[in-house]
Amino acid sequence: MTLPMFKPEDGPGPSFTEVLRKVGIHPFSPTRPDGSVTSEGLRSFDIRHGTTIVAIRYADGVVMAGDRRATAGSSIAHRTMEKVHQAGRHSAVAIAGAAGPAMEMVKLFQLQLEHYEKVEGAPISLEGQANQLSQMVRSNLQMALQGFVVVPLFAGFDTRRGVGRIYTYDPTGGRYEETDFHADGSGGRDARTTVKLGWRPDLSREEAIELAVNALWQAADEDSATGGPDTVRGIYPTVATINAEGFKLVSEQEVAERFASVVAGVNQR
Amino acid sequence: MSMPFYVAPEQFMKDKADFARKNIARGRPLVATVYTDGIVICAENQSKSLHKISEIYDRIAFAGVGRYNEFDSLRRAGVQHADVKGYQFSREDVEARSLANLYAQYMGNVFTHEVKPLEVEILVAEVGAVAGEDQMFHILYDGSVVDEDRYSVLGGEAEAISGRMRDTFQGGWDLNGAVSAAAKALSGPEREPVAADLEVAVLARTNGRRAFRRLEDDEVASALGSSGGATAGVDGGSQVEGS
């Protein structure tokens, strides 16, 4: 390896994906250079899929949650998958869809944000981060057309405006800002309905976490690909808060308590 | 009509080295030293936005003195190299030693093959998992590398500053002690160090994955104002002067 030294006019700027391109690495490109991978060829093996993810705006910022199950066809491929990841200091990205490209996208996105911050000496704005992710989803379009759709959910605390913000994407890289909440993945509909019924603009942190956990519980109840709380193995969904202080994972114990409270509510009916 | 001049290689190299040394010596110096939690780097720099010290990777920092555009492009190249390497292999595989070797190769190449050598000296520092594993590589304009394990001085008046650091250095000192000693070494006996003139950053084991952090002006000021290591430093210096 040599130092990547570029002439000022050829410099890749603060973009990490541009650096990769300049040194000849092409993430998300299908195995054959002409892109002619047949969907039959790729579908002939089992691809892992991640499922339900939720983001809810609350009084201080955003709560994000995701179940832990990955499926391959009708079987459970993985029980402890992490679908909610820290992106920048004040942002998180959650993923649903084909696990391989999704994890690659998260890794690349995290690197992109960090690379920009190091080269420029200042972090990207939240809006800028949302746009970067949109470009990555778009560069996965070729794979998406063959069935490897990745649908990220992006949320963060906008330190310049002092509010939590949520962005959703479609497979073409379309970027849409949601005002209050969103849920995606195979159990997304059920989760969304649950959040819709319980959402208020001034939710406290605890209420927002409980609403997110409830949404995942309802999704798991209706959707076979979404994992519920696994009390036998002690596996609970990933939940994180993003506020003025930054990204913070909610402890597994607290998630378990919120779940207990949701289940108690269900049993009382 | 004009004849090409013959210049002996010795003379050619010497001229380039003199040129680089002279220009580097004009710039403001920089001191890096180990302390309990890692490495602290202290530079004379009045600018709040143009940095001499910056983050390269999780546990690696970069510092440069001399011509700004040259050390800044080296810094960018370092970030790019480290990020690509971490992406292709793993974050653990990104090391200061290999980065320092690359810088040495590049700067050595420029020194021997280009008309104008780089007018910079750089430092690549890596904080280790425990004290004693911290590394500092001081790379000169001609690509020579010096591996330091206590402190490193870059730029003009390096000899004098090194001397002051040698007298005041204490193994296992805390951040305040290290910062104030480094600042005093930079200022010399004639003037008092001022927080606003200093750019200070640390690579601390306690900072989580990204060990790099800049110190705010008030933190630097309180380090300079605190007694402890600072007083010990001054005493040490005067003893040597008296002896």
Side-chain angles (χ1 to χ4, degrees):
Chain A
M1 271 182 148
T2 51
L3 273 181
M5 300 292 292
F6 303 101
K7 291 196 184 102
E9 65 272 23
D10 301 331
S15 164
F16 181 64
T17 46
E18 198 57 34
V19 175
L20 288 183
R21 201 164 297 138
K22 293 254 176 198
V23 299
I25 301 169
H26 301 277
F28 303 128
S29 69
T31 40
R32 277 151 71 176
D34 61 349
S36 63
V37 179
T38 60
S39 50
E40 289 75 32
L42 286 175
R43 275 171 212 261
S44 63
F45 40 70
D46 282 338
I47 304 297
R48 293 181 173 197
H49 274 78
T51 40
T52 309
I53 47 178
V54 188
I56 303 172
R57 204 160 59 77
Y58 73 108
D60 301 333
V62 185
V63 163
M64 254 190 148
D67 75 308
R68 307 288 292 272
R69 180 174 290 179
T71 53
S74 61
S75 68
I76 295 172
H78 201 68
R79 295 178 197 280
T80 54
M81 192 176 153
E82 296 283 354
K83 296 172 196 173
V84 179
H85 300 264
Q86 176 165 13
R89 283 197 172 88
H90 291 90
S91 60
V93 58
I95 40 159
M103 296 310 267
E104 177 69 10
M105 194 179 289
V106 167
K107 183 180 165 188
L108 203 56
F109 183 52
Q110 289 169 327
L111 283 171
Q112 174 81 328
L113 303 187
E114 188 182 318
H115 185 80
Y116 180 102
E117 184 182 333
K118 290 192 289 193
V119 172
E120 289 288 298
I124 322 183
S125 65
L126 194 71
E127 186 94 6
Q129 296 182 21
N131 286 334
Q132 285 295 320
L133 189 55
S134 153
Q135 285 170 31
M136 282 182 193
V137 177
R138 193 174 305 124
S139 55
N140 188 52
L141 185 59
Q142 183 78 43
M143 297 280 278
L145 290 172
Q146 279 143 20
F148 297 88
V149 178
V150 177
V151 206
L153 183 56
F154 177 69
F157 186 79
D158 191 330
T159 47
R160 300 179 195 197
R161 291 181 178 77
V163 289
R165 301 174 80 180
I166 297 168
Y167 297 87
T168 57
Y169 298 86
D170 68 24
T172 62
R175 194 210 76 183
Y176 313 92
E177 184 167 0
E178 304 289 332
T179 51
D180 308 321
F181 58 84
H182 195 76
D184 237 318
S186 60
R189 263 181 86 105
D190 301 298
R192 220 153 43 226
T193 310
T194 314
V195 178
K196 193 194 284 175
L197 294 174
W199 193 81
R200 283 181 288 107
D202 56 344
L203 287 173
S204 72
R205 174 183 175 277
E206 284 70 27
E207 288 170 330
I209 292 172
E210 186 153 328
L211 187 55
V213 162
N214 191 6
L216 288 179
W217 196 88
Q218 301 296 347
D221 210 31
E222 295 297 323
D223 173 37
S224 64
T226 304
D230 189 339
T231 50
V232 176
R233 295 182 186 80
I235 303 165
Y236 293 94
T238 317
V239 185
T241 57
I242 308 126
N243 55 25
E245 270 96 65
F247 174 95
K248 199 162 191 284
L249 274 178
V250 177
S251 75
E252 210 158 53
Q253 193 198 342
E254 189 178 347
V255 177
E257 283 164 20
R258 297 280 156 257
F259 251 121
S261 149
V262 168
V263 173
V266 172
N267 287 340
Q268 270 170 18
R269 278 189 224 143
Chain B
M1 289 289 270
S2 67
M3 283 278 284
F5 286 107
Y6 172 77
V7 181
E10 291 93 333
Q11 189 59 44
F12 193 38
M13 290 299 176
K14 189 178 169 298
D15 286 353
K16 287 204 274 194
D18 286 347
F19 167 82
R21 254 200 305 270
K22 202 171 70 192
N23 288 333
I24 293 163
R26 262 207 282 270
R28 291 168 191 279
L30 177 153
V31 170
T33 179
V34 293
Y35 76 105
T36 28
D37 288 338
I39 297 169
V40 57
I41 310 173
C42 186
E44 268 201 73
N45 183 5
Q46 265 113 355
S47 170
K48 289 284 148 240
S49 47
L50 299 173
H51 299 301
K52 291 188 170 187
I53 313 167
S54 23
E55 175 186 15
I56 293 271
Y57 209 64
D58 293 354
R59 308 174 77 79
I60 304 173
F62 173 98
V65 296
R67 195 181 268 275
Y68 178 79
N69 72 316
E70 291 181 357
F71 72 71
D72 194 61
S73 63
L74 288 174
R75 175 188 71 87
R76 279 166 190 265
V79 172
Q80 283 160 358
H81 169 80
D83 279 351
V84 170
K85 191 172 179 189
Y87 173 76
Q88 280 190 304
F89 298 89
S90 124
R91 297 198 85 93
E92 296 167 32
D93 297 315
V94 182
E95 293 174 328
R97 186 184 43 80
S98 103
L99 190 60
N101 283 336
L102 270 179
Y103 276 130
Q105 288 291 335
Y106 180 78
M107 290 163 79
N109 252 324
V110 171
F111 183 76
T112 26
H113 298 295
E114 306 283 325
V115 177
K116 189 195 90 61
L118 292 170
E119 299 157 57
V120 294
E121 272 179 44
I122 61 171
L123 178 85
V124 180
E126 178 175 342
V127 64
V130 292
E133 284 181 10
D134 302 328
Q135 295 176 310
M136 288 180 285
F137 299 98
H138 175 181
I139 305 152
L140 275 69
Y141 56 87
D142 62 353
S144 47
V145 188
V146 189
D147 178 4
E148 320 256 21
D149 61 357
R150 298 200 304 162
Y151 56 87
S152 184
V153 181
L154 282 73
E157 297 177 64
E159 297 263 307
I161 297 167
S162 272
R164 289 194 281 270
M165 281 304 286
R166 196 177 309 124
D167 296 338
T168 54
F169 182 84
Q170 292 171 4
W173 55 12
D174 65 0
L175 181 60
N176 285 354
V179 169
S180 88
K184 285 206 164 70
L186 284 173
S187 321
E190 280 89 38
R191 60 198 173 101
E192 274 293 305
V194 188
D197 295 343
L198 295 173
E199 181 190 347
V200 184
V202 293
L203 275 175
R205 277 179 277 282
T206 48
N207 281 354
R209 176 170 72 80
R210 290 170 77 176
F212 184 85
R213 186 173 76 87
R214 288 182 194 288
L215 263 59
E216 304 292 335
D217 264 0
D218 52 342
E219 290 177 273
V220 179
S222 82
L224 296 182
S226 75
S227 42
T231 321
V234 170
D235 286 350
S238 57
Q239 271 168 11
V240 171
E241 271 169 13
S243 64

